[in-house]
Amino acid sequence: MPVVKLLCSTLGKATGLLTVVVVVIAVVLKYFDDPDPVKFTSMAEDVKTLEENFRRQNRSCFVLGASGETGRLVLQDLLERNIFSKITLIGRRQLTFEGKAYENLVQEVVDFEKLDDYAAAFQGHDVGYCCLGTTRAKAGADGFVRVDHDYVLKSAELAKAGGCTQFHLESSRGADKNSGFLYLKVKGQVEAEIEALGFDRYAIYRPGVLLVDRQESRPSEWVARKFLSAFSSVFSTSMAVPIQAVAKAMVSNTLLQPEQKTEILENKDITKLGKSAEK
């Protein structure tokens, strides 16, 4: 009997501790929740109708970062919807694809250290999607700034000069040019500097933790994604989002006509728009 009582006591304490942990996590997530989600035009109108109307405009686009996780899915969604008459991939190397869907892709190989020499690659596009980026762990502090700021900004400048009127930028939750953290500061700086270029339409996407099994993930990132993935399946959270939702949101938002020239879609906005595209 003493053993049974001890077991019951232990289980009771464990249950109590688990309850406290869950409550604390819920409070923390609520604290970090998106403060005032941006209001964007909903896709109440039939998606197929929006796609058909856009398709008739015979527009072209380019994708930066198509070799990355988000860029690859943006490209896939663009091909599936077939809303552009021409899709150009701009990157540092030629990419290899399998399947007829990729046959008509145009690929422009550029040297990001000498982008001015490749200005022609950015000419004649109506819409630009930028999913270009690296990590400090992979490229070092200087390398991170060079890719996520210098390459991204220069590409936007060349695109604007080449006639691009609509630019979609994948950024990060918490981006702030005044942040004391390098990652968030750089993201915030490039957001602001691209806005100053004056695109007719400029959309910034600030996803939280991207739920994807990235091959180059560090153990801590892998654990964080697995935890947030499990938690977000039960509770609504603004801290994580499936990477597929980000890609779908970027493409779906292209079809809409917001009232403002510049819009910022926080994590919850991305999730909502990404899900609406699946309906």
Side-chain angles (χ1 to χ4, degrees):
M1 292 299 292
V3 175
V4 175
K5 289 184 178 180
L6 178 61
L7 181 59
C8 291
S9 176
T10 302
L11 289 175
K13 291 179 180 179
T15 302
L17 179 60
L18 180 60
T19 301
V20 172
V21 170
V22 171
V23 171
V24 170
I25 291 175
V27 171
V28 170
L29 292 180
K30 184 65 178 178
Y31 176 78
F32 284 107
D33 205 9
D34 294 333
D36 292 305
V38 134
K39 291 185 178 180
F40 55 88
T41 308
S42 67
M43 299 192 76
E45 187 177 353
D46 182 67
V47 175
K48 295 300 180 183
T49 300
L50 289 171
E51 291 176 349
E52 182 58 32
N53 291 339
F54 192 91
R55 192 176 295 118
R56 290 173 182 171
Q57 298 175 40
N58 196 35
R59 295 188 177 187
S60 64
C61 74
F62 70 85
V63 180
L64 283 164
S67 62
E69 300 287 355
T70 307
R72 177 177 58 82
L73 291 175
V74 166
L75 172 60
Q76 181 179 312
D77 204 47
L78 288 171
L79 290 172
E80 290 177 354
R81 299 195 190 194
N82 190 31
I83 57 176
F84 287 99
S85 59
K86 178 182 177 181
I87 300 175
T88 301
L89 306 184
I90 301 177
R92 59 185 178 82
R93 60 184 173 85
Q94 192 86 5
L95 301 179
T96 302
F97 301 100
E98 295 182 1
K100 292 184 178 181
Y102 298 91
E103 289 180 352
N104 296 323
L105 283 179
V106 176
Q107 295 199 51
E108 295 284 356
V109 178
V110 302
D111 183 348
F112 283 99
E113 293 293 334
K114 303 175 182 178
L115 273 181
D116 281 320
D117 296 341
Y118 299 87
F122 293 87
Q123 294 179 354
H125 307 292
D126 299 296
V127 181
Y129 298 95
C130 183
C131 304
L132 195 63
T134 186
T135 63
R136 183 171 181 173
K138 183 178 180 180
D142 292 340
F144 164 69
V145 174
R146 190 161 63 251
V147 173
D148 285 58
H149 179 274
D150 300 350
Y151 293 176
V152 170
L153 179 59
K154 189 62 180 180
S155 296
E157 291 174 347
L158 292 174
K160 181 66 169 61
C164 181
T165 59
Q166 189 175 147
F167 197 81
H168 296 258
L169 174 68
E170 181 186 19
S171 184
S172 172
R173 174 180 170 79
D176 181 358
K177 63 182 179 180
N178 298 314
S179 175
F181 295 96
L182 178 65
Y183 182 83
L184 299 180
K185 181 176 182 178
V186 168
K187 292 294 187 181
Q189 287 177 333
V190 78
E191 283 183 2
E193 289 167 352
I194 291 178
E195 181 177 9
L197 297 178
F199 282 97
D200 291 351
R201 185 182 178 197
Y202 176 39
I204 300 168
Y205 304 84
R206 292 179 174 175
V209 176
L210 296 175
L211 300 178
V212 58
D213 291 326
R214 193 175 318 197
Q215 294 181 349
E216 62 185 44
S217 295
R218 290 171 291 180
S220 59
E221 294 175 337
W222 183 87
V223 171
R225 277 198 297 274
K226 289 299 181 181
F227 167 76
L228 288 171
S229 178
F231 196 84
S232 62
S233 66
V234 180
F235 301 97
S236 176
T237 172
S238 63
M239 293 183 69
V241 61
I243 196 168
Q244 293 86 350
V246 179
K248 287 184 177 296
M250 292 180 74
V251 178
S252 295
N253 197 32
T254 309
L255 307 173
L256 305 179
Q257 297 181 349
E259 297 179 357
Q260 64 275 27
K261 292 180 61 174
T262 299
E263 57 182 338
I264 299 176
L265 278 72
E266 298 290 353
N267 200 78
K268 278 192 173 181
D269 301 316
I270 295 170
T271 301
K272 183 178 179 180
L273 189 53
K275 287 182 177 179
S276 69
E278 297 174 354
K279 296 179 180 179

